[in-house]
Amino acid sequence: MVSGQLVLAKDGPIATLTIANPAKRNAMTAAMWRALPSLLTPLAEDPAVRVLILAGAGGTFCAGADITEAADVARAGDASIAVAAEEALAAFPKPTIARIDGFCVGGGCQLAVACDLRFAADDSRFGVPPAKLGIVYPPSTTRRLSALIGPARAKLLLYTAELIDAASAERFGLVDAVVPAADLAAAVHRTATTIAGRSLLTQRAAKAVLSGAAPPAQDEAELQEGITAFLERREPVFGPLA
């Protein structure tokens, strides 16, 4: 695996996008930030893909942005590339799960919060460190963090820039489940498989409404299949959406 890239793999209806820069604890380079939206577009349009997992290579989710590039990015007037990537991930129309082990810090936490669900290994660590660097966190990123965990806890993370453990992250509402590190991949895969078997129309409608957008119209074929499967006491088989 080459360092400094995003690696895409598909397993049936589940796509996994892996952050791969292990020499720097999977820090996101400028090129990786720029690449993320363009990788998400075809996945959103692929009818075979029903769930997206975001993960890190080598036992670490993501240690944030590559700080060695920060000055060059700022000079180029391209400091919004991380926000653009975050917004593209948040707007992805299908369910997304962050599979978090090791460090989930700064830009890594930014990406995790942009996902719909977050599963964490019990030895993972979380932090939002701009206050250690004199960096102003983007407004949209700050608001998304606050919407997830509440203003008081968002302030605690932002003001102190200290790391918290997985148990604290779960208590804060920053992650949805904490599991033993050895079980993390299997737990995420089980949940992704369950999600992939449900109605994507329902999921897309829920995601739209919860983000303040209008839901898609009811699809009669989806409704009929759901009702028929219930009456026949079987699992429904939902098709791809047009």
Side-chain angles (χ1 to χ4, degrees), residues 28-55:
M28 292 281 290
T29 66
M32 293 164 72
W33 286 118
R34 293 188 188 100
L36 183 57
S38 63
L39 287 170
L40 295 176
T41 298
L43 291 176
E45 297 171 352
D46 186 345
V49 173
R50 302 179 76 90
V51 184
L52 173 65
I53 297 171
L54 183 66

mmCIF file with all atom_site columns, all heavy atoms in Angstrom, residues 28-55:
data_model
loop_
_atom_site.group_PDB
_atom_site.id
_atom_site.type_symbol
_atom_site.label_atom_id
_atom_site.label_alt_id
_atom_site.label_comp_id
_atom_site.label_asym_id
_atom_site.label_entity_id
_atom_site.label_seq_id
_atom_site.pdbx_PDB_ins_code
_atom_site.Cartn_x
_atom_site.Cartn_y
_atom_site.Cartn_z
_atom_site.occupancy
_atom_site.B_iso_or_equiv
_atom_site.pdbx_formal_charge
_atom_site.auth_seq_id
_atom_site.auth_comp_id
_atom_site.auth_asym_id
_atom_site.auth_atom_id
_atom_site.pdbx_PDB_model_num
ATOM 1   N N   . MET A 1 28 ? -3.925  13.456 6.666   1.00 0.00 ? 28 MET A N   1
ATOM 2   C CA  . MET A 1 28 ? -4.444  13.768 5.332   1.00 0.00 ? 28 MET A CA  1
ATOM 3   C C   . MET A 1 28 ? -3.579  14.822 4.662   1.00 0.00 ? 28 MET A C   1
ATOM 4   O O   . MET A 1 28 ? -3.440  15.939 5.158   1.00 0.00 ? 28 MET A O   1
ATOM 5   C CB  . MET A 1 28 ? -5.875  14.281 5.445   1.00 0.00 ? 28 MET A CB  1
ATOM 6   C CG  . MET A 1 28 ? -6.885  13.241 5.887   1.00 0.00 ? 28 MET A CG  1
ATOM 7   S SD  . MET A 1 28 ? -7.406  12.119 4.550   1.00 0.00 ? 28 MET A SD  1
ATOM 8   C CE  . MET A 1 28 ? -8.383  13.241 3.526   1.00 0.00 ? 28 MET A CE  1
ATOM 9   N N   . THR A 1 29 ? -2.998  14.475 3.519   1.00 0.00 ? 29 THR A N   1
ATOM 10  C CA  . THR A 1 29 ? -2.259  15.445 2.727   1.00 0.00 ? 29 THR A CA  1
ATOM 11  C C   . THR A 1 29 ? -3.245  16.301 1.933   1.00 0.00 ? 29 THR A C   1
ATOM 12  O O   . THR A 1 29 ? -4.428  15.967 1.801   1.00 0.00 ? 29 THR A O   1
ATOM 13  C CB  . THR A 1 29 ? -1.308  14.742 1.754   1.00 0.00 ? 29 THR A CB  1
ATOM 14  O OG1 . THR A 1 29 ? -2.095  14.011 0.788   1.00 0.00 ? 29 THR A OG1 1
ATOM 15  C CG2 . THR A 1 29 ? -0.366  13.787 2.481   1.00 0.00 ? 29 THR A CG2 1
ATOM 16  N N   . ALA A 1 30 ? -2.744  17.392 1.373   1.00 0.00 ? 30 ALA A N   1
ATOM 17  C CA  . ALA A 1 30 ? -3.599  18.248 0.543   1.00 0.00 ? 30 ALA A CA  1
ATOM 18  C C   . ALA A 1 30 ? -4.171  17.460 -0.626  1.00 0.00 ? 30 ALA A C   1
ATOM 19  O O   . ALA A 1 30 ? -5.344  17.612 -0.984  1.00 0.00 ? 30 ALA A O   1
ATOM 20  C CB  . ALA A 1 30 ? -2.790  19.447 0.042   1.00 0.00 ? 30 ALA A CB  1
ATOM 21  N N   . ALA A 1 31 ? -3.351  16.602 -1.226  1.00 0.00 ? 31 ALA A N   1
ATOM 22  C CA  . ALA A 1 31 ? -3.819  15.806 -2.359  1.00 0.00 ? 31 ALA A CA  1
ATOM 23  C C   . ALA A 1 31 ? -4.937  14.861 -1.935  1.00 0.00 ? 31 ALA A C   1
ATOM 24  O O   . ALA A 1 31 ? -5.897  14.630 -2.697  1.00 0.00 ? 31 ALA A O   1
ATOM 25  C CB  . ALA A 1 31 ? -2.654  15.012 -2.954  1.00 0.00 ? 31 ALA A CB  1
ATOM 26  N N   . MET A 1 32 ? -4.841  14.319 -0.726  1.00 0.00 ? 32 MET A N   1
ATOM 27  C CA  . MET A 1 32 ? -5.888  13.414 -0.240  1.00 0.00 ? 32 MET A CA  1
ATOM 28  C C   . MET A 1 32 ? -7.186  14.167 0.036   1.00 0.00 ? 32 MET A C   1
ATOM 29  O O   . MET A 1 32 ? -8.278  13.684 -0.280  1.00 0.00 ? 32 MET A O   1
ATOM 30  C CB  . MET A 1 32 ? -5.394  12.685 1.006   1.00 0.00 ? 32 MET A CB  1
ATOM 31  C CG  . MET A 1 32 ? -4.248  11.714 0.727   1.00 0.00 ? 32 MET A CG  1
ATOM 32  S SD  . MET A 1 32 ? -3.352  11.204 2.222   1.00 0.00 ? 32 MET A SD  1
ATOM 33  C CE  . MET A 1 32 ? -4.551  10.113 2.999   1.00 0.00 ? 32 MET A CE  1
ATOM 34  N N   . TRP A 1 33 ? -7.084  15.357 0.627   1.00 0.00 ? 33 TRP A N   1
ATOM 35  C CA  . TRP A 1 33 ? -8.286  16.166 0.838   1.00 0.00 ? 33 TRP A CA  1
ATOM 36  C C   . TRP A 1 33 ? -8.963  16.459 -0.500  1.00 0.00 ? 33 TRP A C   1
ATOM 37  O O   . TRP A 1 33 ? -10.194 16.366 -0.620  1.00 0.00 ? 33 TRP A O   1
ATOM 38  C CB  . TRP A 1 33 ? -7.938  17.489 1.512   1.00 0.00 ? 33 TRP A CB  1
ATOM 39  C CG  . TRP A 1 33 ? -7.592  17.447 2.967   1.00 0.00 ? 33 TRP A CG  1
ATOM 40  C CD1 . TRP A 1 33 ? -6.401  17.796 3.534   1.00 0.00 ? 33 TRP A CD1 1
ATOM 41  C CD2 . TRP A 1 33 ? -8.439  17.059 4.069   1.00 0.00 ? 33 TRP A CD2 1
ATOM 42  N NE1 . TRP A 1 33 ? -6.447  17.651 4.904   1.00 0.00 ? 33 TRP A NE1 1
ATOM 43  C CE2 . TRP A 1 33 ? -7.686  17.195 5.272   1.00 0.00 ? 33 TRP A CE2 1
ATOM 44  C CE3 . TRP A 1 33 ? -9.758  16.609 4.157   1.00 0.00 ? 33 TRP A CE3 1
ATOM 45  C CZ2 . TRP A 1 33 ? -8.221  16.908 6.522   1.00 0.00 ? 33 TRP A CZ2 1
ATOM 46  C CZ3 . TRP A 1 33 ? -10.286 16.314 5.407   1.00 0.00 ? 33 TRP A CZ3 1
ATOM 47  C CH2 . TRP A 1 33 ? -9.516  16.467 6.565   1.00 0.00 ? 33 TRP A CH2 1
ATOM 48  N N   . ARG A 1 34 ? -8.164  16.831 -1.489  1.00 0.00 ? 34 ARG A N   1
ATOM 49  C CA  . ARG A 1 34 ? -8.731  17.172 -2.798  1.00 0.00 ? 34 ARG A CA  1
ATOM 50  C C   . ARG A 1 34 ? -9.357  15.963 -3.473  1.00 0.00 ? 34 ARG A C   1
ATOM 51  O O   . ARG A 1 34 ? -10.340 16.092 -4.216  1.00 0.00 ? 34 ARG A O   1
ATOM 52  C CB  . ARG A 1 34 ? -7.653  17.769 -3.701  1.00 0.00 ? 34 ARG A CB  1
ATOM 53  C CG  . ARG A 1 34 ? -7.128  19.121 -3.248  1.00 0.00 ? 34 ARG A CG  1
ATOM 54  C CD  . ARG A 1 34 ? -6.209  19.747 -4.289  1.00 0.00 ? 34 ARG A CD  1
ATOM 55  N NE  . ARG A 1 34 ? -5.555  20.946 -3.780  1.00 0.00 ? 34 ARG A NE  1
ATOM 56  C CZ  . ARG A 1 34 ? -4.316  20.977 -3.322  1.00 0.00 ? 34 ARG A CZ  1
ATOM 57  N NH1 . ARG A 1 34 ? -3.570  19.871 -3.306  1.00 0.00 ? 34 ARG A NH1 1
ATOM 58  N NH2 . ARG A 1 34 ? -3.792  22.109 -2.866  1.00 0.00 ? 34 ARG A NH2 1
ATOM 59  N N   . ALA A 1 35 ? -8.795  14.785 -3.249  1.00 0.00 ? 35 ALA A N   1
ATOM 60  C CA  . ALA A 1 35 ? -9.261  13.579 -3.936  1.00 0.00 ? 35 ALA A CA  1
ATOM 61  C C   . ALA A 1 35 ? -10.579 13.052 -3.374  1.00 0.00 ? 35 ALA A C   1
ATOM 62  O O   . ALA A 1 35 ? -11.341 12.386 -4.095  1.00 0.00 ? 35 ALA A O   1
ATOM 63  C CB  . ALA A 1 35 ? -8.194  12.491 -3.851  1.00 0.00 ? 35 ALA A CB  1
ATOM 64  N N   . LEU A 1 36 ? -10.864 13.326 -2.117  1.00 0.00 ? 36 LEU A N   1
ATOM 65  C CA  . LEU A 1 36 ? -12.012 12.700 -1.472  1.00 0.00 ? 36 LEU A CA  1
ATOM 66  C C   . LEU A 1 36 ? -13.337 12.981 -2.172  1.00 0.00 ? 36 LEU A C   1
ATOM 67  O O   . LEU A 1 36 ? -14.099 12.039 -2.467  1.00 0.00 ? 36 LEU A O   1
ATOM 68  C CB  . LEU A 1 36 ? -12.072 13.114 0.003   1.00 0.00 ? 36 LEU A CB  1
ATOM 69  C CG  . LEU A 1 36 ? -13.178 12.474 0.843   1.00 0.00 ? 36 LEU A CG  1
ATOM 70  C CD1 . LEU A 1 36 ? -13.090 10.955 0.801   1.00 0.00 ? 36 LEU A CD1 1
ATOM 71  C CD2 . LEU A 1 36 ? -13.104 12.964 2.279   1.00 0.00 ? 36 LEU A CD2 1
ATOM 72  N N   . PRO A 1 37 ? -13.690 14.240 -2.487  1.00 0.00 ? 37 PRO A N   1
ATOM 73  C CA  . PRO A 1 37 ? -14.980 14.466 -3.143  1.00 0.00 ? 37 PRO A CA  1
ATOM 74  C C   . PRO A 1 37 ? -15.116 13.728 -4.472  1.00 0.00 ? 37 PRO A C   1
ATOM 75  O O   . PRO A 1 37 ? -16.193 13.200 -4.785  1.00 0.00 ? 37 PRO A O   1
ATOM 76  C CB  . PRO A 1 37 ? -15.015 15.989 -3.335  1.00 0.00 ? 37 PRO A CB  1
ATOM 77  C CG  . PRO A 1 37 ? -14.132 16.517 -2.250  1.00 0.00 ? 37 PRO A CG  1
ATOM 78  C CD  . PRO A 1 37 ? -13.018 15.518 -2.149  1.00 0.00 ? 37 PRO A CD  1
ATOM 79  N N   . SER A 1 38 ? -14.046 13.676 -5.251  1.00 0.00 ? 38 SER A N   1
ATOM 80  C CA  . SER A 1 38 ? -14.128 13.011 -6.556  1.00 0.00 ? 38 SER A CA  1
ATOM 81  C C   . SER A 1 38 ? -14.267 11.502 -6.429  1.00 0.00 ? 38 SER A C   1
ATOM 82  O O   . SER A 1 38 ? -14.798 10.842 -7.334  1.00 0.00 ? 38 SER A O   1
ATOM 83  C CB  . SER A 1 38 ? -12.900 13.361 -7.406  1.00 0.00 ? 38 SER A CB  1
ATOM 84  O OG  . SER A 1 38 ? -11.712 12.889 -6.794  1.00 0.00 ? 38 SER A OG  1
ATOM 85  N N   . LEU A 1 39 ? -13.825 10.930 -5.310  1.00 0.00 ? 39 LEU A N   1
ATOM 86  C CA  . LEU A 1 39 ? -14.023 9.501  -5.064  1.00 0.00 ? 39 LEU A CA  1
ATOM 87  C C   . LEU A 1 39 ? -15.455 9.212  -4.620  1.00 0.00 ? 39 LEU A C   1
ATOM 88  O O   . LEU A 1 39 ? -16.002 8.143  -4.910  1.00 0.00 ? 39 LEU A O   1
ATOM 89  C CB  . LEU A 1 39 ? -13.042 9.012  -3.997  1.00 0.00 ? 39 LEU A CB  1
ATOM 90  C CG  . LEU A 1 39 ? -11.581 8.877  -4.420  1.00 0.00 ? 39 LEU A CG  1
ATOM 91  C CD1 . LEU A 1 39 ? -10.702 8.615  -3.205  1.00 0.00 ? 39 LEU A CD1 1
ATOM 92  C CD2 . LEU A 1 39 ? -11.407 7.748  -5.430  1.00 0.00 ? 39 LEU A CD2 1
ATOM 93  N N   . LEU A 1 40 ? -16.055 10.148 -3.918  1.00 0.00 ? 40 LEU A N   1
ATOM 94  C CA  . LEU A 1 40 ? -17.404 9.939  -3.416  1.00 0.00 ? 40 LEU A CA  1
ATOM 95  C C   . LEU A 1 40 ? -18.467 10.023 -4.507  1.00 0.00 ? 40 LEU A C   1
ATOM 96  O O   . LEU A 1 40 ? -19.484 9.317  -4.445  1.00 0.00 ? 40 LEU A O   1
ATOM 97  C CB  . LEU A 1 40 ? -17.719 10.965 -2.326  1.00 0.00 ? 40 LEU A CB  1
ATOM 98  C CG  . LEU A 1 40 ? -16.897 10.867 -1.043  1.00 0.00 ? 40 LEU A CG  1
ATOM 99  C CD1 . LEU A 1 40 ? -17.264 12.006 -0.095  1.00 0.00 ? 40 LEU A CD1 1
ATOM 100 C CD2 . LEU A 1 40 ? -17.102 9.522  -0.357  1.00 0.00 ? 40 LEU A CD2 1
ATOM 101 N N   . THR A 1 41 ? -18.242 10.842 -5.511  1.00 0.00 ? 41 THR A N   1
ATOM 102 C CA  . THR A 1 41 ? -19.256 11.050 -6.553  1.00 0.00 ? 41 THR A CA  1
ATOM 103 C C   . THR A 1 41 ? -19.651 9.761  -7.258  1.00 0.00 ? 41 THR A C   1
ATOM 104 O O   . THR A 1 41 ? -20.852 9.443  -7.335  1.00 0.00 ? 41 THR A O   1
ATOM 105 C CB  . THR A 1 41 ? -18.790 12.104 -7.560  1.00 0.00 ? 41 THR A CB  1
ATOM 106 O OG1 . THR A 1 41 ? -18.598 13.352 -6.879  1.00 0.00 ? 41 THR A OG1 1
ATOM 107 C CG2 . THR A 1 41 ? -19.816 12.301 -8.663  1.00 0.00 ? 41 THR A CG2 1
ATOM 108 N N   . PRO A 1 42 ? -18.707 8.976  -7.798  1.00 0.00 ? 42 PRO A N   1
ATOM 109 C CA  . PRO A 1 42 ? -19.128 7.730  -8.454  1.00 0.00 ? 42 PRO A CA  1
ATOM 110 C C   . PRO A 1 42 ? -19.733 6.711  -7.489  1.00 0.00 ? 42 PRO A C   1
ATOM 111 O O   . PRO A 1 42 ? -20.597 5.925  -7.886  1.00 0.00 ? 42 PRO A O   1
ATOM 112 C CB  . PRO A 1 42 ? -17.836 7.198  -9.089  1.00 0.00 ? 42 PRO A CB  1
ATOM 113 C CG  . PRO A 1 42 ? -16.731 7.878  -8.358  1.00 0.00 ? 42 PRO A CG  1
ATOM 114 C CD  . PRO A 1 42 ? -17.263 9.203  -7.952  1.00 0.00 ? 42 PRO A CD  1
ATOM 115 N N   . LEU A 1 43 ? -19.312 6.719  -6.219  1.00 0.00 ? 43 LEU A N   1
ATOM 116 C CA  . LEU A 1 43 ? -19.912 5.812  -5.240  1.00 0.00 ? 43 LEU A CA  1
ATOM 117 C C   . LEU A 1 43 ? -21.374 6.182  -4.980  1.00 0.00 ? 43 LEU A C   1
ATOM 118 O O   . LEU A 1 43 ? -22.225 5.309  -4.812  1.00 0.00 ? 43 LEU A O   1
ATOM 119 C CB  . LEU A 1 43 ? -19.139 5.853  -3.928  1.00 0.00 ? 43 LEU A CB  1
ATOM 120 C CG  . LEU A 1 43 ? -17.728 5.269  -3.934  1.00 0.00 ? 43 LEU A CG  1
ATOM 121 C CD1 . LEU A 1 43 ? -17.065 5.477  -2.580  1.00 0.00 ? 43 LEU A CD1 1
ATOM 122 C CD2 . LEU A 1 43 ? -17.741 3.793  -4.296  1.00 0.00 ? 43 LEU A CD2 1
ATOM 123 N N   . ALA A 1 44 ? -21.663 7.471  -4.963  1.00 0.00 ? 44 ALA A N   1
ATOM 124 C CA  . ALA A 1 44 ? -23.036 7.922  -4.772  1.00 0.00 ? 44 ALA A CA  1
ATOM 125 C C   . ALA A 1 44 ? -23.918 7.493  -5.941  1.00 0.00 ? 44 ALA A C   1
ATOM 126 O O   . ALA A 1 44 ? -25.107 7.196  -5.761  1.00 0.00 ? 44 ALA A O   1
ATOM 127 C CB  . ALA A 1 44 ? -23.070 9.438  -4.615  1.00 0.00 ? 44 ALA A CB  1
ATOM 128 N N   . GLU A 1 45 ? -23.329 7.435  -7.119  1.00 0.00 ? 45 GLU A N   1
ATOM 129 C CA  . GLU A 1 45 ? -24.092 7.103  -8.318  1.00 0.00 ? 45 GLU A CA  1
ATOM 130 C C   . GLU A 1 45 ? -24.121 5.613  -8.618  1.00 0.00 ? 45 GLU A C   1
ATOM 131 O O   . GLU A 1 45 ? -24.879 5.171  -9.488  1.00 0.00 ? 45 GLU A O   1
ATOM 132 C CB  . GLU A 1 45 ? -23.492 7.855  -9.522  1.00 0.00 ? 45 GLU A CB  1
ATOM 133 C CG  . GLU A 1 45 ? -23.591 9.368  -9.383  1.00 0.00 ? 45 GLU A CG  1
ATOM 134 C CD  . GLU A 1 45 ? -22.809 10.111 -10.458 1.00 0.00 ? 45 GLU A CD  1
ATOM 135 O OE1 . GLU A 1 45 ? -22.063 9.435  -11.207 1.00 0.00 ? 45 GLU A OE1 1
ATOM 136 O OE2 . GLU A 1 45 ? -22.948 11.338 -10.541 1.00 0.00 ? 45 GLU A OE2 1
ATOM 137 N N   . ASP A 1 46 ? -23.326 4.822  -7.926  1.00 0.00 ? 46 ASP A N   1
ATOM 138 C CA  . ASP A 1 46 ? -23.241 3.388  -8.174  1.00 0.00 ? 46 ASP A CA  1
ATOM 139 C C   . ASP A 1 46 ? -24.407 2.672  -7.481  1.00 0.00 ? 46 ASP A C   1
ATOM 140 O O   . ASP A 1 46 ? -24.464 2.628  -6.252  1.00 0.00 ? 46 ASP A O   1
ATOM 141 C CB  . ASP A 1 46 ? -21.912 2.847  -7.646  1.00 0.00 ? 46 ASP A CB  1
ATOM 142 C CG  . ASP A 1 46 ? -21.674 1.384  -7.995  1.00 0.00 ? 46 ASP A CG  1
ATOM 143 O OD1 . ASP A 1 46 ? -22.634 0.702  -8.396  1.00 0.00 ? 46 ASP A OD1 1
ATOM 144 O OD2 . ASP A 1 46 ? -20.527 0.923  -7.850  1.00 0.00 ? 46 ASP A OD2 1
ATOM 145 N N   . PRO A 1 47 ? -25.346 2.081  -8.232  1.00 0.00 ? 47 PRO A N   1
ATOM 146 C CA  . PRO A 1 47 ? -26.499 1.444  -7.590  1.00 0.00 ? 47 PRO A CA  1
ATOM 147 C C   . PRO A 1 47 ? -26.138 0.205  -6.780  1.00 0.00 ? 47 PRO A C   1
ATOM 148 O O   . PRO A 1 47 ? -26.909 -0.218 -5.931  1.00 0.00 ? 47 PRO A O   1
ATOM 149 C CB  . PRO A 1 47 ? -27.398 1.078  -8.779  1.00 0.00 ? 47 PRO A CB  1
ATOM 150 C CG  . PRO A 1 47 ? -26.473 0.972  -9.942  1.00 0.00 ? 47 PRO A CG  1
ATOM 151 C CD  . PRO A 1 47 ? -25.401 1.999  -9.705  1.00 0.00 ? 47 PRO A CD  1
ATOM 152 N N   . ALA A 1 48 ? -24.971 -0.369 -7.029  1.00 0.00 ? 48 ALA A N   1
ATOM 153 C CA  . ALA A 1 48 ? -24.563 -1.561 -6.289  1.00 0.00 ? 48 ALA A CA  1
ATOM 154 C C   . ALA A 1 48 ? -24.066 -1.221 -4.895  1.00 0.00 ? 48 ALA A C   1
ATOM 155 O O   . ALA A 1 48 ? -24.062 -2.079 -4.006  1.00 0.00 ? 48 ALA A O   1
ATOM 156 C CB  . ALA A 1 48 ? -23.476 -2.313 -7.058  1.00 0.00 ? 48 ALA A CB  1
ATOM 157 N N   . VAL A 1 49 ? -23.641 0.024  -4.675  1.00 0.00 ? 49 VAL A N   1
ATOM 158 C CA  . VAL A 1 49 ? -23.118 0.448  -3.374  1.00 0.00 ? 49 VAL A CA  1
ATOM 159 C C   . VAL A 1 49 ? -24.249 1.004  -2.524  1.00 0.00 ? 49 VAL A C   1
ATOM 160 O O   . VAL A 1 49 ? -24.956 1.916  -2.933  1.00 0.00 ? 49 VAL A O   1
ATOM 161 C CB  . VAL A 1 49 ? -22.011 1.507  -3.545  1.00 0.00 ? 49 VAL A CB  1
ATOM 162 C CG1 . VAL A 1 49 ? -21.593 2.078  -2.193  1.00 0.00 ? 49 VAL A CG1 1
ATOM 163 C CG2 . VAL A 1 49 ? -20.809 0.905  -4.254  1.00 0.00 ? 49 VAL A CG2 1
ATOM 164 N N   . ARG A 1 50 ? -24.410 0.447  -1.322  1.00 0.00 ? 50 ARG A N   1
ATOM 165 C CA  . ARG A 1 50 ? -25.493 0.874  -0.440  1.00 0.00 ? 50 ARG A CA  1
ATOM 166 C C   . ARG A 1 50 ? -24.997 1.434  0.886   1.00 0.00 ? 50 ARG A C   1
ATOM 167 O O   . ARG A 1 50 ? -25.742 2.105  1.605   1.00 0.00 ? 50 ARG A O   1
ATOM 168 C CB  . ARG A 1 50 ? -26.455 -0.282 -0.195  1.00 0.00 ? 50 ARG A CB  1
ATOM 169 C CG  . ARG A 1 50 ? -27.059 -0.838 -1.487  1.00 0.00 ? 50 ARG A CG  1
ATOM 170 C CD  . ARG A 1 50 ? -27.983 -1.990 -1.206  1.00 0.00 ? 50 ARG A CD  1
ATOM 171 N NE  . ARG A 1 50 ? -29.260 -1.550 -0.665  1.00 0.00 ? 50 ARG A NE  1
ATOM 172 C CZ  . ARG A 1 50 ? -30.328 -1.246 -1.401  1.00 0.00 ? 50 ARG A CZ  1
ATOM 173 N NH1 . ARG A 1 50 ? -30.265 -1.327 -2.715  1.00 0.00 ? 50 ARG A NH1 1
ATOM 174 N NH2 . ARG A 1 50 ? -31.452 -0.874 -0.829  1.00 0.00 ? 50 ARG A NH2 1
ATOM 175 N N   . VAL A 1 51 ? -23.744 1.157  1.232   1.00 0.00 ? 51 VAL A N   1
ATOM 176 C CA  . VAL A 1 51 ? -23.155 1.640  2.489   1.00 0.00 ? 51 VAL A CA  1
ATOM 177 C C   . VAL A 1 51 ? -21.688 1.976  2.238   1.00 0.00 ? 51 VAL A C   1
ATOM 178 O O   . VAL A 1 51 ? -21.010 1.268  1.479   1.00 0.00 ? 51 VAL A O   1
ATOM 179 C CB  . VAL A 1 51 ? -23.234 0.572  3.607   1.00 0.00 ? 51 VAL A CB  1
ATOM 180 C CG1 . VAL A 1 51 ? -22.712 1.144  4.930   1.00 0.00 ? 51 VAL A CG1 1
ATOM 181 C CG2 . VAL A 1 51 ? -24.637 0.042  3.784   1.00 0.00 ? 51 VAL A CG2 1
ATOM 182 N N   . LEU A 1 52 ? -21.205 3.034  2.891   1.00 0.00 ? 52 LEU A N   1
ATOM 183 C CA  . LEU A 1 52 ? -19.794 3.408  2.799   1.00 0.00 ? 52 LEU A CA  1
ATOM 184 C C   . LEU A 1 52 ? -19.163 3.376  4.184   1.00 0.00 ? 52 LEU A C   1
ATOM 185 O O   . LEU A 1 52 ? -19.688 3.972  5.134   1.00 0.00 ? 52 LEU A O   1
ATOM 186 C CB  . LEU A 1 52 ? -19.646 4.818  2.208   1.00 0.00 ? 52 LEU A CB  1
ATOM 187 C CG  . LEU A 1 52 ? -18.229 5.402  2.204   1.00 0.00 ? 52 LEU A CG  1
ATOM 188 C CD1 . LEU A 1 52 ? -17.305 4.591  1.300   1.00 0.00 ? 52 LEU A CD1 1
ATOM 189 C CD2 . LEU A 1 52 ? -18.254 6.869  1.783   1.00 0.00 ? 52 LEU A CD2 1
ATOM 190 N N   . ILE A 1 53 ? -18.040 2.662  4.297   1.00 0.00 ? 53 ILE A N   1
ATOM 191 C CA  . ILE A 1 53 ? -17.247 2.644  5.523   1.00 0.00 ? 53 ILE A CA  1
ATOM 192 C C   . ILE A 1 53 ? -16.000 3.490  5.299   1.00 0.00 ? 53 ILE A C   1
ATOM 193 O O   . ILE A 1 53 ? -15.313 3.327  4.281   1.00 0.00 ? 53 ILE A O   1
ATOM 194 C CB  . ILE A 1 53 ? -16.842 1.206  5.909   1.00 0.00 ? 53 ILE A CB  1
ATOM 195 C CG1 . ILE A 1 53 ? -18.077 0.361  6.210   1.00 0.00 ? 53 ILE A CG1 1
ATOM 196 C CG2 . ILE A 1 53 ? -15.889 1.216  7.105   1.00 0.00 ? 53 ILE A CG2 1
ATOM 197 C CD1 . ILE A 1 53 ? -17.769 -1.110 6.383   1.00 0.00 ? 53 ILE A CD1 1
ATOM 198 N N   . LEU A 1 54 ? -15.703 4.389  6.217   1.00 0.00 ? 54 LEU A N   1
ATOM 199 C CA  . LEU A 1 54 ? -14.464 5.165  6.183   1.00 0.00 ? 54 LEU A CA  1
ATOM 200 C C   . LEU A 1 54 ? -13.558 4.637  7.280   1.00 0.00 ? 54 LEU A C   1
ATOM 201 O O   . LEU A 1 54 ? -13.962 4.573  8.450   1.00 0.00 ? 54 LEU A O   1
ATOM 202 C CB  . LEU A 1 54 ? -14.750 6.650  6.393   1.00 0.00 ? 54 LEU A CB  1
ATOM 203 C CG  . LEU A 1 54 ? -13.537 7.584  6.311   1.00 0.00 ? 54 LEU A CG  1
ATOM 204 C CD1 . LEU A 1 54 ? -12.956 7.602  4.895   1.00 0.00 ? 54 LEU A CD1 1
ATOM 205 C CD2 . LEU A 1 54 ? -13.919 9.007  6.737   1.00 0.00 ? 54 LEU A CD2 1
ATOM 206 N N   . ALA A 1 55 ? -12.337 4.235  6.918   1.00 0.00 ? 55 ALA A N   1
ATOM 207 C CA  . ALA A 1 55 ? -11.427 3.603  7.869   1.00 0.00 ? 55 ALA A CA  1
ATOM 208 C C   . ALA A 1 55 ? -10.012 4.138  7.672   1.00 0.00 ? 55 ALA A C   1
ATOM 209 O O   . ALA A 1 55 ? -9.737  4.866  6.715   1.00 0.00 ? 55 ALA A O   1
ATOM 210 C CB  . ALA A 1 55 ? -11.454 2.084  7.688   1.00 0.00 ? 55 ALA A CB  1
#
